[in-house]
Amino acid sequence: MDQMGIQYNIWIVLLSFALAASAAYSALNLISQASRSAGNVRRLWLLSGACVLGSGIWAIHFVGLMASRLPFEVRYQGGMAVLSLLISVLASYVSLWIATMPRQSTGRLFLSGMILGCGISAMHYLGMSSMKMGGRIHYEMPTQGLSVVVACLASYTGVFLFRRFKDYPGFSRWKLYSSLFIGIAVTGMHYISLRASHLEVNSWLGARPVLVQTNVILLTGVSLVTLFMLAVSGGAVLLDRHGLERMAYHDPLTELPNRHGLERYFKNEFFGGPSGAVFFVDLDRFKSINDTLGHDIGDMLLQEVAERLRNVIGTKGKVFRLGGDEFLIALPVCTMEDAREEAHHVLGEVKKSYSIEGNELYVTASVGISMTPVHGIDRSALMKAADTALYTSKDSGKNKFSVFDQEMNRNQLRRMSLEKDLRKALARSEFMVVYQPKWDSLMNVTVGLEALLRWRHPEHGIISPAEFIPIAEETGLIVPITYWMLHDVCSQNMLWHKAEVASVAVSINMSARMFEGGSLYDVVEEALVRSGLEPHFLELEITESIAMNNMEETVAQLSKLRNLGVRVSLDDFGTGFSSLGNLDEIPVNTLKIDQVFIRKSKMHSKKAIISNIIAIASNLNMEVVAEGVETPEQIELLQSLGCRVMQGFYYGRPMPVSELGQWFIENTA
């Protein structure tokens, strides 16, 4: 029995170690993707990594044998060689599958390392048993056991380090350390086992070592496996880059290009034609669908809308999703007439019904259009112009399109300027409160006042509430402004009481924003306590839309205020979307008839509506106030229908505190 006379070349040994570590590093790169995936995609990444690692271990083993110089001729059994390859891949897959489980423990990592180490050892011994030669190999069992222990411990160390980088696909020093330990497991086991192996030969073939005589099939197989390993690694890298690129330039929900894709499209493809169009598309009242049916239904609706937009535009242009319910359509070759026609098609297609999860949904869109080169010759200018036109469509009633013009631009610039100044107006004391009387037409006395907000702009003078209140609502600035107004009005009313100038309730208009967060009661109570005003001298005016939005919560807050003694009135009654079936559930003292009915009170239909509103208030034990009264004829009609309290220019315009004092003196009951 002779020791296997293998002559080692240190450079070959180092090269095999480097190849083993490289294969391990490539496999770990692939496995890092598995931790960020799920389902079939995760299994695909695991299989790719296992194939690279397992085939790399197998190829290095046989390349090491075939590159050795042995004193006899050796051939290989193809079946056993293939089996050793399958064992190597299977052990790698199971080991990596355990190592990438979401919840890790020392026991699982140890099991993973043992499976990989045993797989390396099994592959080695199966590979050795595939050798056909004129003799038998005998193993020194203690040293062979040591080689298996080295394989298992080095594999466990490599797997143990895996948790340091398993979610990071880029370069990591821990990934490098892990691949080095796996390389030690492969090469350490291989060379220790060979060193402790002895050969029993039948006859000596000569003292001169010869190259191993290798079967052409095995050599071809090793070469193909090596190429396969490289192909899987390279293909995975390309696939990953493609996936990353798609993630970077496409919206994952709708599969439409996103903002980055938009920038690339405008840079490379959009410009060049004589005239093009940019559409800003925004869904109307999409938030209400999200709030009522949930975000899952909302996402499905967005996917349906995206598909419809894509079908409408076809090959004429490209559709992008900018975020939320905002889309952008780019038509590189489009005239003004074409743009208007396309906008009609878009609006018509979007407003068709949707059937999603058993829900029949309807949604409309608003569209803003800009044209190149008229409205801009770069992406930023065109998007800004289209966005400005979109605001015009929204403000003018929604479900329509608007083409940008310079007047829109001026309005938008003014709006932006007012929004900027509005943020500083409260600190600069630019707000003032004016009061309009509520008059009892039968008793000829003032029975109340409505406090109205005015903004004295240092440059533009008095800004209309119709212009700045919507801005304050949208930005949320209405909340601190209303806080200030509550304190100012309560304090002023208390001064009138102390001076015995007037003793009436003052009403303040409430924004829907004030009911968000549930702190309205505390704010009102604080204003009353600080001023010393009795609660029944304060009245809060709400609109029908506020009352019906999240009705249960709104009613709960209003009920607490009513119990405190604060009065509540329902403003602009008849113009909102409240249900008469819910009116008796809202804690309201007063119904205010909107001025749109008073102005047209000569019409029989409007007169009938006014009469019914008064009857409803009477049956529900509510008071009624008519707004916008300006003529004696309107007063006479309202009195004949049973309404006595009125508010309008006939009795008094909104007045500042300085004028109201004299008005009280002149109109004291």
Side-chain angles (χ1 to χ4, degrees):
M1 186 180 296
D2 299 323
Q3 185 180 9
M4 292 184 68
I6 297 177
Q7 299 180 3
Y8 294 105
N9 186 319
I10 188 60
W11 297 110
I12 296 294
V13 173
L14 293 176
L15 177 61
S16 62
F17 170 73
L19 291 175
S22 298
Y25 191 88
S26 298
L28 294 176
N29 259 337
L30 299 176
I31 298 304
S32 297
Q33 303 291 343
S35 301
R36 303 186 301 165
S37 308
N40 292 331
V41 177
R42 180 175 184 271
R43 284 188 284 272
L44 179 61
W45 284 116
L46 280 172
L47 183 60
S48 300
C51 287
V52 170
L53 180 59
S55 59
I57 293 170
W58 182 86
I60 289 162
H61 170 80
F62 280 95
V63 167
L65 286 179
M66 289 186 288
S68 303
R69 289 181 177 273
L70 295 173
F72 42 74
E73 180 181 354
V74 180
R75 297 185 181 276
Y76 295 89
Q77 295 179 359
M80 293 298 292
V82 171
L83 179 60
S84 66
L85 171 62
L86 295 178
I87 289 291
S88 179
V89 172
L90 179 62
S92 298
Y93 182 86
V94 175
S95 173
L96 295 174
W97 176 71
I98 296 174
T100 55
M101 285 182 174
R103 293 184 179 180
Q104 289 295 351
S105 64
T106 303
R108 282 182 176 176
L109 293 175
F110 181 77
L111 177 62
S112 174
M114 293 304 102
I115 290 174
L116 181 59
C118 291
I120 293 171
S121 302
M123 182 279 304
H124 172 81
Y125 289 114
L126 281 173
M128 294 295 292
S129 66
S130 69
M131 299 171 64
K132 296 172 62 177
M133 52 190 175
R136 294 177 57 192
I137 299 175
H138 295 274
Y139 300 104
E140 292 181 3
M141 297 311 298
T143 310
Q144 297 298 331
L146 175 63
S147 69
V148 174
V149 170
V150 168
C152 290
L153 289 180
S155 297
Y156 168 70
T157 305
V159 170
F160 182 80
L161 295 176
F162 183 68
R163 61 182 182 178
R164 294 288 190 106
F165 61 86
K166 71 183 184 72
D167 296 323
Y168 183 68
F171 174 80
S172 167
R173 60 190 178 96
W174 296 107
K175 187 183 298 184
L176 178 62
Y177 299 156
S178 178
S179 61
L180 291 176
F181 274 105
I182 294 176
I184 291 172
V186 175
T187 55
M189 193 279 157
H190 179 82
Y191 290 112
I192 292 174
S193 174
L194 288 183
R195 188 65 182 172
S197 301
H198 298 273
L199 178 66
E200 180 182 352
V201 295
N202 297 326
S203 60
W204 186 248
L205 300 177
R208 181 184 175 188
V210 297
L211 284 173
V212 176
Q213 300 297 313
T214 307
N215 289 343
V216 174
I217 294 177
L218 181 62
L219 182 59
T220 303
V222 171
S223 301
L224 290 176
V225 167
T226 305
L227 290 174
F228 169 74
M229 181 181 68
L230 295 174
V232 170
S233 300
V237 170
L238 290 176
L239 179 64
D240 188 36
R241 286 183 179 176
H242 178 73
L244 291 174
E245 181 179 2
R246 185 159 188 84
M247 289 173 59
Y249 291 100
H250 285 77
D251 170 53
L253 178 65
T254 62
E255 294 297 318
L256 293 175
N258 58 15
R259 287 182 179 272
H260 299 297
L262 174 70
E263 292 176 10
R264 184 167 66 173
Y265 178 76
F266 270 78
K267 182 179 180 181
N268 299 330
E269 301 180 46
F270 182 77
F271 295 103
S275 176
V278 172
F279 290 16
F280 242 124
V281 182
D282 187 86
L283 301 184
D284 302 324
R285 299 185 66 248
F286 174 74
K287 184 177 184 298
S288 63
I289 295 176
N290 259 350
D291 293 343
T292 54
L293 299 178
H295 288 273
D296 290 340
I297 299 296
D299 287 346
M300 294 179 191
L301 177 60
L302 289 174
Q303 290 172 334
E304 290 276 352
V305 171
E307 186 61 29
R308 291 189 184 185
L309 293 178
R310 193 159 28 205
N311 291 336
V312 168
I313 300 305
T315 59
K316 292 172 287 189
K318 208 155 192 178
V319 183
F320 304 84
R321 185 189 178 206
L322 302 184
D325 58 346
E326 291 184 340
F327 298 87
L328 186 140
I329 299 172
L331 301 171
V333 179
C334 183
T335 63
M336 180 66 75
E337 292 74 18
D338 294 336
R340 293 179 183 275
E341 185 177 348
E342 288 297 333
H344 280 297
H345 288 163
V346 167
L347 293 177
E349 193 66 26
V350 169
K351 72 178 181 182
K352 292 179 182 177
S353 66
Y354 300 81
S355 180
I356 299 176
E357 296 289 313
N359 300 288
E360 187 174 359
L361 304 179
Y362 293 88
V363 68
T364 58
S366 297
V367 179
I369 303 174
S370 63
M371 304 294 299
T372 176
V374 180
H375 303 140
I377 56 174
D378 60 73
R379 177 187 59 83
S380 179
L382 290 169
M383 289 181 64
K384 179 182 176 183
D387 196 25
T388 300
L390 174 64
Y391 268 102
T392 301
S393 298
K394 288 281 190 184
D395 293 341
S396 58
K398 303 180 175 64
N399 190 28
K400 58 182 61 177
F401 70 87
S402 301
V403 181
F404 176 79
D405 60 36
Q406 289 304 319
E407 182 62 26
M408 290 181 189
N409 193 43
R410 283 190 290 271
N411 292 338
Q412 184 67 10
L413 290 174
R414 176 177 169 85
R415 189 185 188 281
M416 292 173 60
S417 176
L418 290 180
E419 180 181 334
K420 175 174 64 74
D421 295 340
L422 191 62
R423 297 181 182 277
K424 307 170 186 175
L426 193 59
R428 295 175 176 175
S429 302
E430 293 174 4
F431 291 115
M432 61 179 289
V433 179
V434 295
Y435 298 85
Q436 186 174 30
K438 298 176 185 177
W439 191 264
D440 188 322
S441 61
L442 296 182
M443 299 294 293
N444 278 326
V445 294
T446 305
V447 293
L449 297 168
E450 180 178 2
L452 302 167
L453 188 66
R454 296 293 184 266
W455 181 14
R456 296 170 298 189
H457 195 280
E459 296 178 14
H460 305 299
I462 300 296
I463 306 294
S464 168
E467 188 173 13
F468 77 83
I469 291 295
I471 300 175
E473 292 267 8
E474 184 178 331
T475 59
L477 294 171
I478 194 67
V479 174
I481 292 173
T482 306
Y483 285 177
W484 168 84
M485 192 174 178
L486 273 167
H487 285 274
D488 187 78
V489 168
C490 289
S491 299
Q492 181 59 54
N493 201 2
M494 193 62 193
L495 290 177
W496 283 329
H497 287 199
K498 290 179 179 179
E500 298 182 353
V501 172
S503 182
V504 295
V506 180
S507 62
I508 301 176
N509 289 286
M510 289 289 108
S511 162
R513 293 270 194 163
M514 296 298 297
F515 289 86
E516 298 173 358
S519 61
L520 180 59
Y521 177 88
D522 296 330
V523 173
V524 171
E525 185 182 40
E526 181 186 0
L528 292 171
V529 170
R530 283 194 178 185
S531 63
L533 185 70
E534 295 182 29
H536 65 274
F537 286 117
L538 175 64
E539 184 175 63
L540 305 182
E541 291 194 9
I542 64 170
T543 61
E544 292 178 83
S545 58
I546 294 175
M548 299 306 297
N549 182 35
N550 195 5
M551 183 175 172
E552 186 176 340
E553 175 63 25
T554 302
V555 168
Q557 294 191 58
L558 291 176
S559 297
K560 287 182 65 178
L561 290 166
R562 279 284 300 275
N563 293 334
L564 182 64
V566 175
R567 296 172 57 83
V568 179
S569 65
L570 193 59
D571 197 11
D572 302 334
F573 185 74
T575 62
F577 55 90
S578 66
S579 168
L580 292 178
N582 301 117
L583 183 60
D584 61 328
E585 301 175 22
I586 306 172
V588 172
N589 301 93
T590 306
L591 291 184
K592 297 188 74 175
I593 306 173
D594 190 77
Q595 56 186 328
V596 69
F597 301 115
I598 307 302
R599 285 200 209 101
K600 300 179 181 180
S601 56
K602 291 182 180 180
M603 297 172 58
H604 178 73
S605 58
K606 303 300 182 187
K607 189 184 303 182
I609 293 174
I610 295 171
S611 177
N612 282 319
I613 292 175
I614 294 171
I616 290 170
S618 175
N619 290 327
L620 294 177
N621 295 319
M622 297 178 183
E623 300 172 12
V624 64
V625 176
E627 294 182 299
V629 176
E630 297 179 356
T631 65
E633 291 79 12
Q634 293 170 345
I635 297 172
E636 185 178 349
L637 172 64
L638 289 167
Q639 287 177 339
S640 68
L641 295 175
C643 175
R644 55 190 290 177
V645 180
M646 305 175 194
Q647 178 183 350
F649 286 179
Y650 184 87
Y651 293 106
R653 293 176 176 271
M655 294 169 278
V657 173
S658 58
E659 297 178 16
L660 196 61
Q662 183 62 33
W663 187 92
F664 274 135
I665 294 172
E666 295 173 358
N667 295 275
T668 301

